[in-house]
Amino acid sequence: MAAQWVYGFGAGKTEGNAKMKQLLGGKGANLAEMAALGLPVPPGFTITTEVCTWYYANGRTYPAELTKQVEQALSALERHMGLMFGDPENPLLLSVRSGARVSMPGMMDTVLNLGLNDETVAGLAKKSGNERFAYDSYRRFIQMYGDVVLEVPHHDFEDILERHKRDQGVTLDTDLSAETLKAVVADYKALVLKQRGQPFPMNVQDQLWGAMGAVFASWLTPRAVTYRAIHNIPEDWGTAVNVQTMVFGNMGDDCATGVAFTRDPSTGENYFYGEYLVNAQGEDVVAGIRTPQSLTLKGKEKEKSALPAMEEVMPGVFKQLDDIRATLERHYREMQDIEFTVQGGKLFMLQTRTGKRTTAAAMKIAVDMVNEKLISREEALLRIEPQAIDQLLHPTLDPMAHKRVLAKGLPASPGAASGEVVFSADEAEAKAKDGKAVILCRRETSPEDIHGMHAAKGILTARGGMTSHAAVVARGMGRACVAGAGMIAMDYERAAMMIGDITIKAGEMITIDGGTGEVMLGVVPTIQPGLSGDFAAVMEWADETRSMGVRANAETPLDARTAHGFGAEGIGLCRTEHMFFDPARIQHVREMIFASDEGSRRKALAYLLPEQRKDFIELFRIMEGLPVTIRLLDPPLHEFLPQTEQDIALFAQSAGVSPERVRRRLAELHEANPMLGHRGCRLGVTYPEIYEMQTRAIIEAAIEVAATPEIMIPLVATQIEFKLMKDLVDRTAAKVFVEKKKQVSYLVGTMIELPRAALIADKIAEEAAFFSFGTNDLTQTTLGLSRDDAAQFLPEYIRQGIFARDPFATIDVDGVGQLIEIGVERGRKTGKTLKVGICGEHGGDPASIAFCQGAGLDYVSCSPYRVPVARLAAAQAAIRAEQSKPSASKKEAA
Amino acid sequence: MAAQWVYGFGAGKTEGNAKMKQLLGGKGANLAEMAALGLPVPPGFTITTEVCTWYYANGRTYPAELTKQVEQALSALERHMGLMFGDPENPLLLSVRSGARVSMPGMMDTVLNLGLNDETVAGLAKKSGNERFAYDSYRRFIQMYGDVVLEVPHHDFEDILERHKRDQGVTLDTDLSAETLKAVVADYKALVLKQRGQPFPMNVQDQLWGAMGAVFASWLTPRAVTYRAIHNIPEDWGTAVNVQTMVFGNMGDDCATGVAFTRDPSTGENYFYGEYLVNAQGEDVVAGIRTPQSLTLKGKEKEKSALPAMEEVMPGVFKQLDDIRATLERHYREMQDIEFTVQGGKLFMLQTRTGKRTTAAAMKIAVDMVNEKLISREEALLRIEPQAIDQLLHPTLDPMAHKRVLAKGLPASPGAASGEVVFSADEAEAKAKDGKAVILCRRETSPEDIHGMHAAKGILTARGGMTSHAAVVARGMGRACVAGAGMIAMDYERAAMMIGDITIKAGEMITIDGGTGEVMLGVVPTIQPGLSGDFAAVMEWADETRSMGVRANAETPLDARTAHGFGAEGIGLCRTEHMFFDPARIQHVREMIFASDEGSRRKALAYLLPEQRKDFIELFRIMEGLPVTIRLLDPPLHEFLPQTEQDIALFAQSAGVSPERVRRRLAELHEANPMLGHRGCRLGVTYPEIYEMQTRAIIEAAIEVAATPEIMIPLVATQIEFKLMKDLVDRTAAKVFVEKKKQVSYLVGTMIELPRAALIADKIAEEAAFFSFGTNDLTQTTLGLSRDDAAQFLPEYIRQGIFARDPFATIDVDGVGQLIEIGVERGRKTGKTLKVGICGEHGGDPASIAFCQGAGLDYVSCSPYRVPVARLAAAQAAIRAEQSKPSASKKEAA
């Protein structure tokens, strides 16, 4: 039996539904679903994603049965509509749109008005009674098809149009007459012939197959590849093609087109949020060329717009749309992003999909929908992207700060950001790589700018609305964005922007506030936002739901306080060496390293003891009895040594030795591969007095504050190594207990950060009270990959698909993950009460947290700002683990 | 039931046997065995090694039952001998000797004549009718006991003895009268009182327990610890104590003492080889103070000695001894190292043990014994220490070379060696660490010198015989040794040695020939020895026996020829980068690296192509159709770059760029951890043109010589990485085949040298034709241990027992070994025809080879000189695997 490559909808039989996203793409599946719900969807058919896969697997050709199946689907459409594709009298016109499994806004190309040619355009003019409309549609079709399918540059068409507008003395497209549009069409066709060496295709079948091919081809354009790389969308998913009967929002003033969200995607507020344009086609709204109008009076009011709302202009249609809004939300139990067109006063739904939203909005919508009993708490938790919580935690402008507002645009994506002005995506990326904060300033953005938007702290555009490319993408990425600040003139040539008589050049600092739309000169101080009640509710639900603990990696009082404020349940990694870099201490640390014998080393350590003790006392106090895991000295000693000639001279002088001697010691301590060198517990083994001092400081502090410290031995590779270090800690603690006549409990555990440690975890667990997977170093050793050096080739590796993701950001499940699972399993075999956590960067990465849940970890530890992210991610992981249980037990039974 | 801590032998009941070495130590077990065989063994008893273990586990105390068991054993002895311990009339005298499981020559201490005191000495005088003998025995006892048990320095006793000899005008101890010896005894006792603050113990029980305690305590002396560390003897084995009735070789001229080997330990020749001294105690022979005489006429002749052989002097006793020699060899089926004493014409056997021997001797003895049908081929193979084969392969003196012989000593351990003269073990060790070859020159050596002997290339002594400490230890270590070169005066103070009027200072170069005993000035050229027929026979048997292949790591024609000559069955690792360092090529390599684009890189590579092709052609020709595994470029590029300022200037000039640009590129290529950096197939992924050139060179060469190359991709971490590289190789090969109109077979495989690669071996094996475990890097990554930097702490790690052995020398079975096993198992799961080998340094290490056998590897690859070692080790591993099979299947059945 031949495979079914084509699925129809709306024309009598609807063969798909919303669950078939994998096959039909998101748009196709939802069109079928809406059709089945009885909503007014222009009928059409979807060519499946399997065709795309087949197309690439077979040298960009189609399966044999496709032609026939498309013919059949087209015939069904013709019958349903009573129109004929390519018929000069009653022409059926089509839209051809891409539709991947997940929405990829602006990434895929669309062709509207397909089926028009020199003959059918006349039929359309006659039927619509609107020649101007017909030729406008024809010229749009040639322009779009020329650009997308024939690769004639968009701006060449625009130039022709501009010329005619200039000649006619008009500024709006809508002011062009049918006659002029005919001339435009002629010029367009001439342009195509000149550039492509072939005339624009008049055969409608050629048009259709050309457009379909362009959709499939666009799957592999660099910008699509980049978008998928950023959003971790697999290359092999492919896209579907949706072919749909055209409806026209540009047939006159009883026509309109619009996009809307069933709730406010910025704040989450439960009101109908959207924009429309009268007498326009969809691209006019999204492209931000005309300034769109609000759907509702409330929206109009909120945006202080002077333009009439749809609620006023087309109350009947608006009512119908508002009902559909309710239907869709009830049906999908999720906030929807919809597109619609009104043709001759009749409403058509062109798309519905889950709406993108800011994190604050996601919080509010989730909490509201739980309260509205639309969804469960678990569903609510699963709907919030943990990564995005980050953006809630980023600073907003200090309301007390002085600010010089230069301009105002739309508050397109919340958050405040300061940075150097840059005018191109490439520049943004380059400067960001150098560690600079940049604000990407563009007239408007396009998919080509995505890498620059990703690299920037914020985005500022002079044109476009709340649903413009810049706004949608920035919200998705969690970047601050001010859009459509029309008073700003961007001059890319001069690398400057002008606001009235003020000129801001590339490299100058500005601040934007995506919550208010303000653009300010210089760096404006920011503050931590007070987190909303929704945030608190979500976090509370998350805490009730998750099974893993969440700790923070922190050593400074500031970090510890931040972590505690964000709900960390302890410190999972306190890197004691960070405490050594204090300018008042580094001298003594250096003296310790320069000591030629144990005695002098002890002398230098004696100075550091009270300092370390003070650190720990403060840390224990801040954490109020929560567990604090302290890692003993880890990095190679030379990290503490003076590096520059000036530093060397200074240190030599104060230490009373010759600079030559300092240099000699530096050379002695030099290592070919410090990552694999004399560090971690190797220092403890060779210079036990260092760990002895640190243990003493920890235990003395714990006695003073009555804390229960967890002492962690780093870089353990063998059982004996750990045992030696544990004995040292125990001996030292026992001594302190006797001296202070007081005892505290403490645990001694280890980092598992070497493959060997994971492999012999059963032996180490005989002695260790806890494990903490140090996945940074475990990734470096398992993959033989230096984090400091990988930049030379890692991007290329990700580009070529060798790594699906940066293994330092998300746990490499196949390699490092296996070792973690081995480590946990073997460790628990001998360590019945073993506590197991993770303290690498991965501890704050949602995908990695999900892995940790599966591996059975007790807690994750991450940087303070990631704590809320981790709390939510851990809750999601617990829910998903619970959800997958029945099928897991089924598997076992099988 | 109380444990049995004491085992008797010779006095009626003999409770032990040779198999009980673990419990009784080697000496004790063999004494029991000889007693059971009916050989004349002085009766005694053994205190087990378990007492030693108990002693250290319980704060240096003894188990409660021990006193009673010793009493009982002593009573049995007294009854059997008709003597009483401590009885003034009929005193029983004892020797107390240590005896560990394996022979540790000179490491453990011995006390003879125990039981003598001011009363019993008189009884001994009366009974022996020889007062001089009695007091000589007494003074020897006090001296030995004083030194070993009471820790009064040996030389203080010697000073007293020397003074009396001077006073009496005699040079030999034997010329001292009874009266003088009484005075010596009095002075000895005074010395002990003065130094210890207590009189010398007169109570014989105190003497016995004191001596036993000293034996146990000596187990942990630094020199014992060092010996065990060098020979990999576990600390927890402990030593036994043998208490035995004294027999005296020093009661007169019908007395003698000697040591012998049942075959020549230097050459393996089947004749009775040994030395004896009339009227002497054992230590006189071993210490080399008097020059010992040959046992046999043949030996006398061989050594051109003027002193009479035992065969002449005591023909009857000699006959008896010669019969015992035959009995022991038949019984033990192994060459024996025996000690005996003749007391009043009566022969007593004091020890038998497997004799140490040179490797050449081991070869000959093994082959001879197979021919004599004493042992099987398998036994013969197991008896040769693979590590020691090395010494057969080391150069001997070029017979044509001019040599200036300065002195001649005994040919104590074969092999020729040149090096700087050093006069202390510490200096030897220090210079060897700096990579210098040294000859350790000593009057005589002692256990304190072992570390220096280990570090030296050769050992030269002025005193001592073929069984002196220097000779025995040097043979065991495979070091060249010339012993007893009496014409040399060692002046440690002036750091010089004098031979007649020639003075050789520390630091001057000399050459010694341990095969002839010659000492020569300067460096004398050496040549590779022709390997003996025995060697060939053993190697042939090994080849027939082993199941693993043996290949060599080689890239130069010289190495390849050496490897081929040593029987390598192919090249397991040809490191192509070594071919890049040729001065004629490095310029182009550097130009390639400096190329700013692919085009310029290809230009530089085009120069290298014919050069690489030439290399491979030669290599394929030398290997005559054997497999050659070629690894594509592996090291970080900066290894090829100029390092010194001068080099930078030179390169900049010839490349026509500024030195500044060269320095900038160097900085760009600098890596924090190059071991984990941009190297291996990461170069192939980012600069595919390099691997393309190398593949082309290999395939073109293979077409020319009709070879079947195995192309190896280094540092693979992921399946896609390997697939990409394999595709590149296949594409390139296909291109060459078309151009040359000729095809060859080739394989593409990979190094497994990262933990991740081992973990995902099943996936890699879907694509790879072979695996080669790169255990150098796998050890570095699994343990997180940089080989270049580990020197800072590795010795300390081995000293503290954290590593049993250097993990870069012998595979870390628990960590790296697990990954190898995982890699093999998973690799074979998907790669049904997968070939698996090893090409790290471990490929030539016998212990690691045994592991490889267990892990199921197909072959090992090692450096050319290790090939014979590996062939034998692989045979041994195969035999042992076969031997352990029945018990293994039993386990499975259980």
Side-chain angles (χ1 to χ4, degrees), chain A residues 644-814:
Chain A
T644 65
E645 277 304 310
Q646 196 190 356
D647 264 8
I648 291 172
L650 272 173
F651 172 70
Q653 196 180 10
S654 64
V657 296
S658 70
E660 190 36 55
R661 184 162 139 53
V662 177
R663 272 190 290 269
R664 208 164 55 234
R665 186 79 180 126
L666 284 174
E668 275 169 28
L669 288 168
H670 172 80
E671 294 185 307
N673 295 289
M675 160 64 208
L676 310 175
H678 194 180
R679 49 168 291 230
C681 70
R682 293 161 192 173
L683 294 171
V685 168
T686 48
Y687 305 120
E689 53 280 4
I690 298 178
Y691 278 16
E692 216 177 287
M693 179 281 282
Q694 294 197 295
T695 302
R696 177 172 281 275
I698 294 165
I699 298 291
E700 288 181 357
I703 287 176
E704 185 149 340
V705 190
T708 304
E710 305 186 345
I711 298 176
M712 184 153 73
I713 314 293
L715 210 74
V716 163
T718 82
Q719 184 184 24
I720 302 178
E721 219 175 15
F722 180 76
K723 188 158 168 30
L724 282 173
M725 293 301 97
K726 180 175 186 293
D727 289 350
L728 178 77
V729 168
D730 288 343
R731 265 199 321 275
T732 307
K735 247 190 257 171
V736 176
F737 293 158
V738 169
E739 288 168 18
K740 304 281 173 195
K741 299 195 180 64
K742 213 169 160 186
Q743 301 213 1
V744 290
S745 305
Y746 64 93
L747 300 178
V748 186
T750 182
M751 301 273 281
I752 301 287
E753 51 188 335
L754 297 175
R756 193 184 197 278
L759 291 167
I760 61 153
D762 45 348
K763 292 193 184 136
I764 296 174
E766 288 173 7
E767 311 284 343
F770 62 88
F771 282 177
S772 182
F773 284 94
T775 46
N776 296 348
D777 282 0
L778 192 59
T779 300
Q780 296 200 75
T781 46
T782 305
L783 275 71
L785 194 63
S786 164
R787 192 160 57 149
D788 298 334
D789 305 313
Q792 290 274 347
F793 53 92
L794 204 52
E796 184 62 20
Y797 262 54
I798 290 170
R799 199 188 66 76
Q800 294 201 26
I802 297 172
F803 292 137
R805 305 180 191 190
D806 179 343
F808 293 112
T810 296
I811 283 177
D812 157 42
V813 171
D814 290 345

Side-chain angles (χ1 to χ4, degrees), chain B residues 779-819:
Chain B
T779 300
Q780 297 199 76
T781 45
T782 305
L783 275 70
L785 193 63
S786 164
R787 192 159 58 149
D788 297 333
D789 306 313
Q792 290 273 349
F793 53 90
L794 202 53
E796 183 64 18
Y797 261 54
I798 289 170
R799 200 189 65 75
Q800 293 201 30
I802 296 172
F803 292 137
R805 305 180 191 190
D806 179 343
F808 293 111
T810 296
I811 282 176
D812 156 43
V813 171
D814 290 345
V816 176
Q818 270 198 63
L819 286 175

Side-chain angles (χ1 to χ4, degrees), chain A residues 842-858:
Chain A
H842 304 96
D845 169 65
S848 306
I849 291 170
F851 170 82
C852 292
Q853 174 86 29
L857 262 50
D858 296 311

Side-chain angles (χ1 to χ4, degrees), chain B residues 42 81 83 91-95 112-116 124 127-128 130 133-138 140-141 244-258 277-282 314 340-348 350:
Chain B
M81 301 297 294
L83 300 168
L92 173 67
L93 300 187
L94 301 172
S95 69
L112 299 178
N113 309 337
L114 189 137
L116 284 177
L124 180 64
K127 274 205 67 184
S128 65
N130 186 338
F133 155 72
Y135 280 92
D136 186 46
S137 299
Y138 194 21
R140 283 172 188 266
F141 168 55
Q244 202 174 7
T245 311
M246 275 302 302
V247 288
F248 296 95
N250 57 341
M251 260 167 91
D253 287 345
D254 58 350
C255 297
T257 192
L277 280 174
V278 169
N279 200 13
Q281 270 195 333
M314 300 176 166
F340 62 89
T341 284
V342 180
Q343 175 177 330
K346 192 163 179 263
L347 177 67
F348 290 95
L350 299 186

Side-chain angles (χ1 to χ4, degrees), chain B residues 9-241:
Chain B
F9 58 83
K13 196 171 68 169
T14 291
E15 299 171 295
N17 63 52
K19 294 203 175 71
M20 295 165 74
K21 278 190 188 150
Q22 206 154 323
L23 188 65
L24 303 178
K27 192 186 294 250
N30 281 320
L31 283 169
E33 186 83 7
M34 284 199 292
L37 276 177
L39 300 185
V41 172
F45 55 87
T46 303
I47 297 160
T48 70
T49 57
E50 287 175 351
V51 176
C52 185
T53 310
W54 204 101
Y55 174 83
Y56 281 109
N58 292 278
R60 305 206 173 202
T61 60
Y62 297 113
E65 312 85 1
L66 185 64
T67 318
K68 202 162 156 226
Q69 293 186 13
V70 169
E71 265 171 29
Q72 287 168 347
L74 202 53
S75 300
L77 264 194
E78 289 174 330
R79 278 196 304 277
H80 183 83
M81 301 297 294
L83 300 168
M84 293 284 285
F85 191 47
D87 185 82
E89 300 298 321
N90 275 314
L92 173 67
L93 300 187
L94 301 172
S95 69
V96 175
R97 288 189 177 89
S98 66
R101 278 194 223 180
V102 293
S103 161
M104 293 166 63
M107 299 302 297
M108 287 284 125
D109 299 299
T110 300
V111 177
L112 299 178
N113 309 337
L114 189 137
L116 284 177
N117 59 22
D118 291 352
E119 293 182 342
T120 57
V121 70
L124 180 64
K126 210 168 114 195
K127 274 205 67 184
S128 65
N130 186 338
E131 194 176 29
R132 206 213 72 84
F133 155 72
Y135 280 92
D136 186 46
S137 299
Y138 194 21
R139 88 75 205 161
R140 283 172 188 266
F141 168 55
I142 296 173
Q143 183 166 350
M144 260 189 218
Y145 193 95
D147 174 15
V148 170
V149 182
L150 305 176
E151 294 178 350
V152 174
H154 179 72
H155 63 83
D156 288 344
F157 291 108
E158 283 292 322
D159 285 350
I160 292 172
L161 191 63
E162 287 297 317
R163 182 157 46 74
H164 282 278
K165 276 153 82 175
R166 214 165 45 239
D167 290 351
Q168 300 297 320
V170 302
T171 53
L172 292 177
D173 298 0
T174 42
D175 292 338
L176 289 173
S177 70
E179 285 316 304
T180 311
L181 288 167
K182 280 181 190 172
V184 170
V185 164
D187 286 353
Y188 275 13
K189 283 161 66 183
L191 172 68
V192 169
L193 179 62
K194 189 179 154 210
Q195 291 219 357
R196 308 300 312 165
Q198 296 197 49
F200 187 86
M202 288 292 123
N203 180 306
V204 295
Q205 287 291 342
D206 290 351
Q207 291 176 358
L208 178 59
W209 287 93
M212 275 164 44
V215 171
F216 289 137
S218 72
W219 180 252
L220 275 197
T221 56
R223 66 190 193 191
V225 170
T226 299
Y227 185 93
R228 286 196 294 272
I230 291 173
H231 291 85
N232 291 317
I233 299 171
E235 208 65 57
D236 59 5
W237 276 9
T239 181
V241 179

Side-chain angles (χ1 to χ4, degrees), chain A residues 420 428 431-438 455 457:
Chain A
E420 272 189 47
K431 292 220 166 180
K433 263 195 191 145
D434 290 343
K436 290 195 175 142
V438 298
K457 297 285 174 200

